[in-house]
């Protein structure tokens, strides 16, 4: 019989197909009561797979008495309770890769999309409105100032792309970066006043939760745009909705949300918002790479061979 595996969330379909070749795969999200399904049907599960955003809690570990290995489909595992894994003797693996380039590509695309009103223009054409009149103008990207919140690897890649589009770059973070010539702002509100576009790329920490709040949005102003490709909770979502509804900012492009996959209805009803379902790393190339690494470690574990991408123990 094939070993049993619990898949916490849907992942890349080709990866699921490969998992199903080697394992009996449990998919709790398909059950009316997922937690009850896990307690009832997953007592013999030896392996589990989670995602960067789903994580794996102490309660998840406790619900699987025979769990031996947890694979994280993605490079980050901050939401995995590593202390619980260690206490249970569960091996944790991940799929290290470079997310900076594809996320930066998406961020630059979102800057262009929201400033040039591409999604609105698409809806205008599809609705048959073009013969009836001229579509409203967007804004030029060239010559604008792009303020980057968090100049890490992703932020630097966005800066490279934005510069190529003729934008001026500045950045905010907890400290000035060595060897970086871009203007640094220790105060985010001050940078927002200077920026035409504010791009959020920093990590979610207690210090960055709700970092982009009403004061920052008001500083960005009625001609400013917000782009978030980091984590939804970095932006005060209700403050953003209020700023967009009252046109205190010009628009927003969002790949992440506070309660994914649930998106506030108010955002979905707004024309000046570009929405994406957290696809920053959703490229075929990157997901193929992650799938290979995930499957290699799971297959090695079942075969009693050394693991390649082990986080702990």
């Amino acid at each position: 019989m094939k070993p049993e595996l619990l898949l916490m969330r849907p992942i890349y379909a080709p990866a699921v197909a490969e998992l199903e070749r080697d394992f009996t795969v449990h998919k709790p999200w398909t059950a009316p009561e997922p937690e009850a399904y896990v307690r009832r049907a997953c007592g013999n599960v030896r392996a589990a797979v989670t995602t960067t955003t789903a994580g794996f809690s102490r309660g998840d570990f406790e619900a699987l008495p025979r769990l031996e290995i947890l694979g994280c489909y993605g490079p980050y595992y901050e939401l995995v309770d590593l202390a619980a894994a260690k206490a249970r003797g569960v091996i944790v693996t991940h799929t290290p890769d470079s997310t900076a380039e594809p996320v930066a590509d998406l961020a630059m695309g979102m800057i262009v999309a929201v400033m040039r009103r591409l999604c609105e223009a698409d809806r205008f054409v599809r609705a048959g409105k073009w013969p009836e009149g001229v579509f409203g103008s967007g804004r030029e990207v060239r010559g604008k100032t792009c303020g980057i919140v968090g100049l890490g690897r992703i932020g630097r890649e966005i800066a490279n792309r934005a510069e190529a589009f003729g934008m001026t770059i500045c950045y905010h973070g907890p400290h000035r970066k060595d060897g970086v010539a871009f203007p640094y702002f220790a105060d985010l509100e001050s940078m927002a006043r200077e920026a035409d576009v504010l791009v959020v790329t920093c990590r979610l920490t207690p210090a960055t939760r709700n970092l982009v709040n009403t004061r920052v949005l008001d500083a960005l102003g009625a001609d400013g745009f917000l782009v978030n490709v980091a984590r939804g909770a970095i932006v005060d979502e209700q403050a953003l909705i209020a700023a967009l509804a009252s046109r205190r900012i010009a628009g927003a492009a969002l790949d992440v949300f506070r309660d994914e996959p649930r998106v506030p209805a108010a955002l979905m009803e707004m024309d000046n918002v570009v929405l994406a379902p957290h696809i920053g790393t959703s490229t075929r190339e990157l997901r193929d790479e992650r799938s290979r690494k995930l499957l290699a470690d799971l297959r090695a574990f079942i075969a009693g061979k050394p693991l390649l991408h082990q986080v702990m123990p």
Side-chain angles (χ1 to χ4, degrees):
M1 294 180 62
K2 293 189 290 187
E4 296 186 31
L5 179 144
L6 173 63
L7 183 59
M8 295 296 288
R9 294 273 181 88
I11 60 172
Y12 188 43
V16 176
E18 286 291 309
L19 288 172
E20 289 176 331
R21 287 179 52 189
D22 295 354
F23 298 88
T24 297
V25 178
H26 295 278
K27 304 173 182 176
W29 68 88
T30 64
E33 298 180 356
E35 292 183 7
Y37 172 84
V38 171
R39 292 193 300 270
R40 181 180 71 254
C42 297
N44 291 321
V45 160
R46 296 179 58 196
V49 173
T50 189
T51 66
T52 293
T53 54
F56 211 80
S57 68
R58 182 173 293 273
D60 293 325
F61 283 106
E62 292 173 350
L64 302 171
R66 298 189 180 180
L67 185 66
E68 299 174 58
I69 182 170
L70 172 69
C72 187
Y73 187 76
Y76 308 118
Y77 45 87
E78 289 91 343
L79 296 182
V80 174
D81 190 329
L82 295 180
K86 184 176 181 179
R88 289 283 311 280
V90 176
I91 295 170
V92 179
T93 68
H94 68 144
T95 59
D97 50 44
S98 177
T99 62
E101 293 84 355
V103 174
D105 289 344
L106 178 70
M108 197 66 230
M110 294 189 101
I111 291 171
V112 174
V114 70
M115 293 186 71
R116 294 300 305 273
R117 302 175 64 189
L118 290 183
C119 295
E120 293 178 72
D122 176 86
R123 292 191 292 269
F124 180 83
V125 173
R126 291 176 187 274
K129 295 181 179 179
W130 196 6
E132 301 170 7
V134 177
F135 181 72
S137 301
R139 313 284 180 87
E140 284 197 18
V141 176
R142 175 175 55 97
K144 301 299 191 296
T145 297
C146 178
I148 299 175
V149 184
L151 197 70
R153 291 178 59 248
I154 293 173
R156 290 175 191 244
E157 291 290 341
I158 292 170
N160 291 339
R161 287 156 176 74
E163 274 198 308
F165 273 72
M167 302 188 83
T168 298
I169 311 299
C170 55
Y171 73 100
H172 164 78
H175 53 79
R176 187 186 301 273
K177 299 282 187 179
D178 292 336
V180 174
F182 303 133
Y184 167 69
F185 287 82
D187 179 66
L188 180 55
E189 286 182 55
S190 297
M191 187 175 79
R193 280 191 286 271
E194 296 297 321
D196 299 291
V197 184
L198 205 62
V199 184
V200 181
T201 70
C202 60
R203 287 183 179 273
L204 175 61
T205 68
T208 63
R209 185 174 293 273
N210 292 324
L211 178 66
V212 179
N213 54 26
T214 298
R215 295 190 305 275
V216 172
L217 294 169
D218 285 345
L220 183 59
D223 290 326
F225 297 86
L226 177 73
V227 175
N228 189 3
V229 292
R231 289 290 182 267
I234 297 169
V235 175
D236 182 332
E237 202 163 68
Q238 292 307 309
L240 174 61
I241 290 169
L244 288 164
S246 60
R247 300 285 172 167
R248 299 197 327 270
I249 67 171
L254 309 170
D255 186 45
V256 290
F257 306 88
R258 295 185 77 93
D259 189 25
E260 298 176 8
R262 288 162 286 278
V263 176
L267 289 175
M268 292 191 282
E269 293 167 359
M270 293 177 178
D271 284 336
N272 57 335
V273 181
V274 175
L275 305 173
H278 203 151
I279 58 171
T281 60
S282 181
T283 67
R284 183 180 299 178
E285 294 83 358
L286 190 58
R287 291 191 170 185
D288 282 343
E289 179 185 350
R290 288 183 177 179
S291 301
R292 286 192 296 271
K293 291 175 179 177
L294 174 72
L295 288 155
D297 278 333
L298 290 172
R299 287 166 176 163
F301 176 79
I302 295 300
K305 297 179 179 179
L307 307 183
L308 299 175
H309 312 102
Q310 187 169 333
V311 176
M312 64 165 296

